[in-house]
Amino acid sequence: MKKNGKYTRATVYFSPDIHKSLRLRSAETGTSISQIVNEAIRRSLADEAADLDAFLLHDEEPNVSFETFICGLRRRGRI
């Protein structure tokens, strides 16, 4: 990982088990703990962005109450 001012230093506290797992993964893959954590956070944020995109796609759909939905299922013979 480059240390040329593109990154911000932060102190993060891990439980001993998580830290040991990170150290072992780091040694196994030849990547730094920072790289592993950055990639995991990047994936997590990408997942959240995908969830938000899906939510926004349905933003203009009408809201249906649970009761209305269940009654509709019964009316259509689905339950």
Side-chain angles (χ1 to χ4, degrees):
M1 180 177 293
K2 295 178 183 178
K3 294 182 181 177
N4 61 5
K6 285 179 140 183
Y7 299 96
T8 300
R9 183 181 182 145
T11 301
V12 179
Y13 295 94
F14 298 108
S15 69
D17 290 341
I18 298 293
H19 188 249
K20 183 176 182 178
S21 296
L22 286 168
R23 282 194 340 262
L24 291 171
R25 175 62 78 183
S26 176
E28 181 180 285
T29 61
T31 57
S32 70
I33 290 175
S34 291
Q35 288 171 308
I36 294 168
V37 171
N38 270 300
E39 182 57 31
I41 292 171
R42 191 173 288 110
R43 273 184 268 139
S44 177
L45 292 173
D47 287 347
E48 287 200 31
D51 291 345
L52 288 171
D53 287 343
F55 179 77
L56 292 174
L57 283 174
H58 300 285
D59 192 36
E60 294 183 16
E61 291 181 2
N63 289 327
V64 178
S65 72
F66 178 75
E67 292 83 7
T68 302
F69 182 75
I70 295 299
C71 290
L73 289 176
R74 185 178 56 209
R75 208 174 33 255
R76 291 188 299 277
R78 302 231 176 147
I79 58 171

